[in-house]
Amino acid sequence: MTTAIVVFALVAALFGLPLFLVLGLIALALFIGADISGSAVVIEMMRLSSSPLLVALPLFTFAGAILAESGAPRRLVEASRELLGWLPGGLALVALLACALFTAFTGASGVTIVAVGGLLLPALIQGGYPERFTLGLVTTSGSLGLLFPPSLPLLLYAYVAGVGVDELFVAGILPGVLLIVLLAIYGARRGLMAGVERKPFRVRTALSALRRAGWEAPLPMVVLGGIYSGKVTVTEAASLTALYALIVEVVIYRDVRIRDLPRVVRDSMVLVAGILVILAAAFGFTNYLIDAEVPMNILEWMQGAFTSKWTFLLALNVFLLIVGSLMDIFSALIVVVPLIVPIAEGYGVNLVHLGIIFLTNLEIGYSTPPVGLNLFISSFRFERPVLDLYRASLPFLGILLVALVLITYVPDLSLLLGRLLGTGGGTP
Amino acid sequence: MESLAARTAALLAGLPELGRFLGIGFPALLALAGALFAVRKTPALRFVSDRGDAMLGGLLAAELLAMVFLSSLQILLRNVFDSGLLWIDPLLRHLVLLLAFTGAVAATGVKRHVQINALGRLLRGNAQRVGGTVIAATAATVSLALAHASLVLLRDEIEFSEIVFLNVPSWLVVAVFPVSFLVLAFRFEWLVLAEIAGEAPQSPEAELAGPSEKTS
């Protein structure tokens, strides 16, 4: 009976049953099947109110939504264009940086493609970049920046895996930069090949673009400075960011009208609530599996099949790429991380490093055919057939995979900064 | 508060076991949803449902803004006045729970739940409608089952309730679950009818990319 319900739940998931109900149903079936009251599933859900870290999730999401709703994407693109447009492939670099920065604040919920990509696509094509290159760039960059603080996936991984958020925030920086550098080199090459015109650097216009973004530009510094200096906790940084974004966009720039606020709040909170209820429903499910020693059994089986840490990491990457192309990043983090953590520990993988591998995989999964979410959002947003986007994103996927291999097999990319800064990233 | 607890406890004493609960609850909610669905185009029901949506949006906004201001206030108190209010931190944590379930209820109205749906999105025409109907009915059943589990928990919690923060007893926090799951079950039953009538909302991706003119 229990098995039948679990199988039914999985099939229903493939046909669109909301994921939190899939997990809730499986948890109920497992608990009741083991003669435990179904109310234990709800007791597990109560854990949603037990961590101050979770308070940061809606706050950062709200800040990101306000920024997305305002003129911030336009000011961000203008300012970085003035500053970097003179470089070879400068406009492509602008696109990469703008997307990365924006995704770090909004999470890869598609907002980046809709808000920033929508501005960049015409600019890049007008600037002389080939259309297919541009589509691929904008699509795959929709999840670039996940590795930079204060991205929600970093926060959520830290919470689920029980790793320090500050450690993870430091660990993502070098790998994130690596992704951007590799893509920027490709962009510069394509720009030179297509004979793209460069925009001369003018101090006056650069300063005026910076001044226009003057209230938003310090935001990343304030957030990160606050967290890294230890002056505020992550949760406090989240509330300050939300308050700051609210005041700047509603009162100072007046980009967001007061009467639009309820809609912005509702849309962003629906998004974050979707994540939170999945988390709530997954507590029972993952706890049951851990109690039943399922990860331990998988570990035992895997240690027979993959004898070294390095072959394990290879298998993990393949597995995560598949997960990443099927599930959204938050569900994947919530469901898979608790099961993978004990296995990875069995292989001696550092959990901070594991987090970065995890997120890089899921970031790539966003643009992986056939069902990567970025491909569909781009398809809707730019009114192109999904097949065109499959083709357009292929070269970018290739580059991201190279970066993934480097990130996986050079742990120091993720751990070096932490050791230097003493956030404890080096302890295995 | 005491009398409310006693009345809730009396109500829960007659809680049937899961199978019977589903057997009575599912058709009862479906009948209620059906009666309202039949008059959905009348001005009165439109008014009520618009107000309901507005209230839900307002509730979400109030919860979030409370989080923003309370946590900022706490930082101010701690760093400038070297003090703090003990109840703010637990209240913030419980607001996360409340926000999660308020948002889940709101998500059902616009069909914006996080889902895998790898096969469902391949369906077209009638198959899509049948699939949507079956999934909505399944969602309603699971929500009801979770409502039952939370009612059982609530029944136990009232007996051993303690104060969580300010004067809020723990059973009141637990009550968030049955209320949310019952409302969710109702909204999924409504969705069953909307799917049959071919009036269900669009897929989330189309919704997300919908207002494409806004930014350009």
Side-chain angles (χ1 to χ4, degrees), chain A residues 332-385:
Chain A
L333 281 172
I334 292 163
V335 178
V336 181
V337 167
L339 306 178
I340 295 280
V341 160
I343 300 176
E345 278 183 319
Y347 276 99
V349 179
N350 181 300
L351 289 187
V352 172
H353 182 211
L354 179 74
I356 303 302
I357 297 176
F358 219 98
L359 294 180
T360 312
N361 268 297
L362 297 179
E363 175 174 331
I364 298 173
Y366 261 100
S367 312
T368 310
V371 290
L373 190 60
N374 281 351
L375 300 164
F376 286 92
I377 293 172
S378 270
S379 161
F380 278 112
R381 177 65 178 85
F382 305 125
E383 294 170 0
R384 304 290 152 92

Side-chain angles (χ1 to χ4, degrees), chain A residues 186-314:
Chain A
Y186 178 62
R189 216 186 86 126
R190 292 304 301 260
L192 288 174
M193 271 163 58
V196 172
E197 228 180 289
R198 293 191 223 162
K199 190 179 168 65
F201 182 76
R202 290 208 186 83
V203 178
R204 184 190 293 259
T205 48
L207 279 179
S208 97
L210 264 184
R211 199 169 311 130
R212 258 172 292 161
W215 283 101
E216 286 143 353
L219 198 50
M221 307 303 148
V222 172
V223 177
L224 305 186
I227 296 173
Y228 288 146
S229 68
K231 285 238 188 312
V232 292
T233 67
V234 173
T235 311
E236 291 171 342
S239 74
L240 290 177
T241 309
L243 189 67
Y244 186 88
L246 187 67
I247 292 174
V248 167
E249 304 302 347
V250 178
V251 182
I252 297 180
Y253 285 122
R254 302 197 184 189
D255 284 345
V256 182
R257 283 166 302 183
I258 300 249
R259 66 185 160 94
D260 288 335
L261 266 184
R263 179 181 50 81
V264 177
V265 174
R266 196 199 64 189
D267 288 355
S268 57
M269 288 308 107
V270 161
L271 186 88
V272 81
I275 301 166
L276 289 171
V277 286
I278 292 174
L279 188 62
F283 284 136
F285 167 69
T286 50
N287 245 16
Y288 181 91
L289 292 188
I290 289 167
D291 275 351
E293 303 203 319
V294 172
M296 286 302 130
N297 290 332
I298 301 177
L299 174 64
E300 221 162 87
W301 172 82
M302 282 189 77
Q303 276 173 335
F306 308 101
T307 42
S308 80
K309 178 171 158 183
W310 307 114
T311 47
F312 160 72
L313 286 176
L314 184 68

Side-chain angles (χ1 to χ4, degrees), chain A residues 13-14 19 49 62 236 239, chain B residues 64 71 78 93 114 117 119-120:
Chain A
L14 292 178
L19 199 58
S49 61
F62 172 66
E236 291 171 342
S239 74
Chain B
L64 178 83
S71 53
R78 186 170 309 148
R93 284 187 280 109
V114 180
N117 203 12
L119 299 178

Side-chain angles (χ1 to χ4, degrees), chain A residues 4 18 46 55 95-96 99 102 111 167 173 184 193 203 228 277 299 342 370:
Chain A
M46 291 286 294
V55 179
L96 292 168
C99 285
F102 206 69
V111 179
E167 281 179 59
I173 293 177
M193 271 163 58
V203 178
Y228 288 146
V277 286
L299 174 64

